[in-house]
Amino acid sequence: MPAKPPDDARPGTAKPCPICGKPATEASKPFCSERCRDVDLNRWLSDSYKIPAARDDDEDAE
Ligand SMILES: [Zn+2]
């Protein structure tokens, strides 16, 4: 019988960091680092102010 794959090496278990797409780490998951976690938090807080997204095409009225 071949050895079964180790539990900590299951593919598809680690989701990529939602901020930068790097593999998430155990310490900061679902982010890859504390830094990305802060980025996500700030993004979330900013969103509560209804700040428009990066594009302001709305200004481009004809
Ligand atoms: Zn990241």
Side-chain angles (χ1 to χ4, degrees):
M1 272 277 184
K4 64 176 184 175
D7 270 1
D8 59 358
R10 282 177 300 187
T13 312
K15 284 186 173 181
C17 171
I19 302 301
C20 69
K22 290 181 184 176
T25 60
E26 273 297 309
S28 307
K29 67 183 181 179
F31 306 103
C32 72
S33 62
E34 300 257 341
R35 189 184 150 128
C36 280
R37 192 182 6 210
D38 278 355
V39 170
D40 184 72
L41 180 63
N42 286 325
R43 189 176 285 184
W44 193 87
L45 290 174
S46 297
D47 193 46
S48 68
Y49 287 103
K50 294 296 175 192
I51 291 176
R55 355 179 72 223
D56 35 340
D57 292 355
D58 287 342
E59 295 280 330
D60 202 16
E62 292 168 41

